[in-house]
Amino acid sequence: MVEGHQCHRVAHAHRKLLMGKRFTAESPNKRFADGASALDGKPLTRIEVHGKNLFYFFGEGEELVVMHVHFGMSGAFKTLSLPGPEPRETTRLILTNKPMGLTLHLSAMTVAHGGMDLYEARKAKLGPDPLREDADVEKVWTRVQGSRKPIGQLLMDQDAVAGLGNIYRAEVLFKAGVHPEQPGNTMDRAAFDRVWRHSVLLLQRGFQTGSILTVDADEARKLGKPWTRRYVYNHKVCGRCGSFIRTWDMNARTVYACETCQPLDHGTVVTAERAKAMAAAGPTKVFQSHCAPEAADNQAPGQMTVLVLKRALSAKSLPTAGRKQELVARLEAAIGVIPSAKPPEEVVTELVTDGPTEDLSKLTVPRLQQRLAGLGLPQSGRKAALILRLQTRGPGAGAQPSTASRDTPDDQGEEWEDIGQPPGSHPSAPDASEAGAGAAAQPDAAGPSGVASDAAKPAAVRRSKNVGPVAQGMEVNIEAGAAAELAAEGIDLEQAEPAPPMPPDVRPGTGALNDVMSAEAAALEKNAAGEGRNVEHVALENDQTVADASAKSRRGRSGKSTGQLDGTFPKRKRSRLSSGPSRKTGQ
């Protein structure tokens, strides 16, 4: 699907190049014949974008004709020099301006025309767009507060928020530290503000770069490959904490989450329908994404083609015979891409609600980490977090974790440096207490050492292999008592582990954004990263990008990047049909 940032890029380029110009119009496949006749010869006076919908205004007053465009899965708006290529079967509209020497070819799922009433009617059905200056965040908040739908579904509902797609949903919720299944009406304002903030910032970054790049540059350098462009989408393992990414179905789309970094809130109750969907959750089955493929040298084995797998195995002097699944397993074992912990198996998650409480505050951090290691649990975090983990999971635990002590993902990204443990080096699979949802968290892979005795099992819940975050019909309602426990022991939780500051206000829209990469520069960056020119179904094309695509196609399936070994781009003349300011000067 052509996402909102790509639609805004098309509008940005066309506003700079085409405003005020008149065109002869024709519909080669006759599917927009009446519309082409209506706008023929009229000047382009306005362009609006709402999410994934573009509106072109031709003429004014009683002569006004509005054209509505929704690209769908693979539409494009090509701005080319005359005479241009032969139209394809999918070409709905050709606009020609001979004085400029331009022809525009439009292919899209939806191309309709009408008057201002068409625009107003379509706009009324769409939610606020984070890339519009008039986006009303309070309207989104009101919608979220009044809905029992999971936030992951609300973000994909274009009548709630316009412009986000499946990749952005996964990445926005990860950066916000919010579980996709968190019902909208159970979210607090701070969590919602994080979701909105990252929706705005990531879409703005996509608008500027022409790519879905969600990993901040500094963190990309820390995490390394393959987490240099995206955090969880189509990844097996979380680069921040080393937990397995889990996937399940939500409205016929795959949802991705690290349930350690994105726990369900305590007290969350989900519907039977959503519980059933989550019960079918399992580890990510990576694939070669046509929407956001990984760079060639960033690909996990499961994302590689058979040919690339065999080359990689041959380079390591390993056998290259077998089916793809066997090749993937062989290469994964050779490069150690999977953590030592096994994927979740059938285990018993203990919810211990009573028992003696040891004064863990008197232990040093190394001693706390030693105890956690003995239980097969992660040893990352500040002292208060280590205490909470031991109290929740250790023998004689007496309290459940408090939401006040949960770090945001941004905090977790820095914790590893505090103790010298890099992300991805967890000694075990995701832990229930780390997921922050008790029995709703991922299964414990620590083994018998982390399981309480039969005498201390007042609330054990058996979970099946690859179950989701909650069992069907089960209420995630664990009373938070850790804060009171720590306070009674003289530990100030706020001082030991301060809550993250409220995210700064963000300004929706694109008007204040500079340094917008041209269509050519964006295509070159994709090629240098090994993603290919049509990543994300790019809708903005011109002479240079079309020529580059043809040249790449002629090179065949070599898998080589058009970028240089040092990551620079080959020099070339900049097309006058560029989508906007150059990356370097903004002019």
Side-chain angles (χ1 to χ4, degrees):
M1 184 73 69
V2 177
E3 310 291 2
H5 67 294
Q6 292 290 357
C7 293
H8 279 273
R9 283 177 60 80
V10 172
H12 174 76
H14 287 177
R15 289 188 187 111
K16 296 177 71 66
L17 184 66
L18 307 176
M19 292 298 293
K21 302 297 188 288
R22 298 175 185 268
F23 304 89
T24 58
E26 61 176 315
S27 179
N29 64 5
K30 308 303 181 184
R31 296 183 62 187
F32 189 59
D34 291 343
S37 176
L39 58 86
D40 183 69
K42 291 183 172 62
L44 178 63
T45 56
R46 179 182 172 190
I47 303 175
E48 296 288 347
V49 187
H50 293 269
K52 304 175 185 180
N53 299 266
L54 291 98
F55 299 89
Y56 287 72
F57 296 72
F58 294 88
E60 294 179 323
E62 295 182 357
E63 299 295 321
L64 177 68
V65 176
V66 179
M67 179 177 70
H68 171 223
V69 176
H70 189 294
F71 287 114
M73 293 300 295
S74 57
F77 214 151
K78 300 178 182 179
T79 306
L80 308 166
S81 299
L82 285 173
E86 289 295 319
R88 299 182 178 181
E89 293 182 0
T90 58
T91 304
R92 303 282 292 272
L93 175 68
I94 295 180
L95 299 174
T96 302
N97 183 297
K98 288 186 178 180
M100 294 183 69
L102 292 181
T103 181
L104 290 85
H105 288 214
L106 171 64
S107 300
M109 177 182 70
T110 298
V111 185
H113 76 289
M116 183 61 73
D117 56 339
L118 169 68
Y119 171 65
E120 295 294 343
R122 298 294 172 89
K123 181 178 71 170
K125 295 180 179 179
L126 298 170
D129 179 351
L131 287 181
R132 288 184 61 90
E133 279 74 8
D134 59 3
D136 186 353
V137 63
E138 296 305 320
K139 183 178 179 179
V140 183
W141 170 235
T142 299
R143 172 66 183 276
V144 169
Q145 277 189 307
S147 178
R148 296 178 60 190
K149 291 182 179 180
I151 185 62
Q153 183 174 335
L154 289 169
L155 290 182
M156 295 283 282
D157 287 348
Q158 297 302 297
D159 59 354
V161 183
L164 292 171
N166 197 36
I167 303 174
Y168 274 123
R169 169 177 66 181
E171 299 294 301
V172 164
L173 290 176
F174 176 81
K175 295 198 77 168
V178 175
H179 196 286
E181 294 288 350
Q182 193 68 47
N185 61 358
T186 68
M187 290 182 64
D188 59 32
R189 185 60 193 248
F192 168 80
D193 284 342
R194 294 197 303 272
V195 170
W196 177 253
R197 175 179 183 266
H198 290 300
S199 296
V200 172
L201 294 178
L202 292 186
L203 281 170
Q204 288 179 337
R205 184 183 295 174
F207 169 76
Q208 290 179 292
T209 65
S211 294
I212 300 179
L213 302 175
T214 63
V215 183
D216 298 334
D218 289 343
E219 190 171 13
R221 286 188 286 270
K222 292 179 182 179
L223 296 179
K225 300 174 183 180
W227 300 282
T228 55
R229 296 174 81 82
R230 285 165 287 277
Y231 289 99
V232 294
Y233 180 79
N234 202 26
H235 286 309
K236 273 191 174 183
V237 176
C238 174
R240 280 180 170 169
C241 72
S243 300
F244 285 97
I245 304 299
R246 296 178 68 78
T247 64
W248 60 95
D249 180 82
M250 183 179 286
N251 277 14
R253 301 297 298 274
T254 300
V255 64
Y256 297 78
C258 168
E259 294 174 284
T260 301
C261 297
Q262 301 167 255
L264 276 169
D265 286 347
H266 295 299
T268 297
V269 180
V270 299
T271 65
E273 178 186 3
R274 296 312 313 148
K276 182 178 180 181
M278 288 187 284
T284 303
K285 295 181 180 179
V286 294
F287 60 94
Q288 180 57 44
S289 171
H290 295 289
C291 296
E294 293 295 332
D297 56 351
N298 282 1
Q299 289 178 353
Q303 296 170 313
M304 297 178 180
T305 63
V306 171
L307 179 60
V308 175
L309 282 166
K310 289 185 176 181
R311 287 176 178 171
L313 289 167
S314 179
K316 295 181 178 297
S317 301
L318 296 173
T320 58
R323 297 182 178 181
K324 181 175 181 178
Q325 186 175 1
E326 297 171 327
L327 302 181
V328 169
R330 193 174 303 151
L331 186 57
E332 286 180 339
I335 64 179
V337 70
I338 301 300
S340 58
K342 296 181 179 179
E345 300 289 342
E346 183 175 69
V347 298
V348 174
T349 301
E350 308 301 336
L351 307 182
V352 183
T353 58
D354 54 23
T357 302
E358 181 184 1
D359 188 0
L360 298 175
S361 65
K362 296 181 179 180
L363 298 181
T364 63
V365 168
R367 181 58 179 164
L368 290 169
Q369 291 174 338
Q370 184 179 3
R371 287 201 180 186
L372 287 165
L375 293 172
L377 300 178
Q379 301 118 57
S380 61
R382 299 178 179 91
K383 184 172 182 178
L386 306 183
I387 291 172
L388 290 175
R389 198 170 301 147
L390 281 172
Q391 287 180 320
T392 305
R393 300 291 297 165
Q400 299 300 328
S402 166
T403 55
S405 68
R406 192 177 69 225
D407 289 332
T408 63
D410 290 335
D411 288 334
Q412 290 174 345
E414 298 176 356
E415 283 180 6
W416 312 119
E417 291 190 6
D418 295 340
I419 62 172
Q421 183 178 5
S425 63
H426 279 45
S428 67
D431 167 66
S433 67
E434 280 296 287
Q442 293 194 30
D444 178 17
S449 61
V451 177
S453 66
D454 291 339
K457 293 182 179 179
V461 179
R462 182 166 294 279
R463 306 185 64 198
S464 301
K465 180 179 181 180
N466 291 338
V467 300
V470 296
Q472 186 170 0
M474 171 181 165
E475 178 177 343
V476 186
N477 190 13
I478 304 170
E479 294 298 327
E485 288 274 343
L486 293 177
E489 296 172 9
I491 299 177
D492 187 340
L493 188 62
E494 292 297 324
Q495 292 182 6
E497 200 164 1
M502 288 293 291
D505 291 337
V506 292
R507 180 181 298 178
T510 62
L513 301 178
N514 297 315
D515 203 20
V516 180
M517 292 178 69
S518 67
E520 303 96 310
L524 284 170
E525 192 277 335
K526 283 181 170 61
N527 289 341
E531 287 198 341
R533 59 166 293 281
N534 65 339
V535 63
E536 307 165 41
H537 304 296
V538 173
L540 179 64
E541 298 188 35
N542 59 31
D543 289 330
Q544 190 65 65
T545 62
V546 171
D548 288 346
S550 298
K552 184 175 181 180
S553 177
R554 288 193 298 270
R555 285 196 296 271
R557 301 179 180 178
S558 65
K560 295 182 178 179
S561 166
T562 58
Q564 308 301 309
L565 293 178
D566 61 356
T568 59
F569 304 128
K571 293 182 178 180
R572 63 180 67 208
K573 292 183 179 180
R574 184 166 169 265
S575 168
R576 70 185 182 88
L577 306 180
S578 168
S579 68
S582 70
R583 187 176 188 180
K584 182 177 180 181
T585 66
Q587 301 296 319

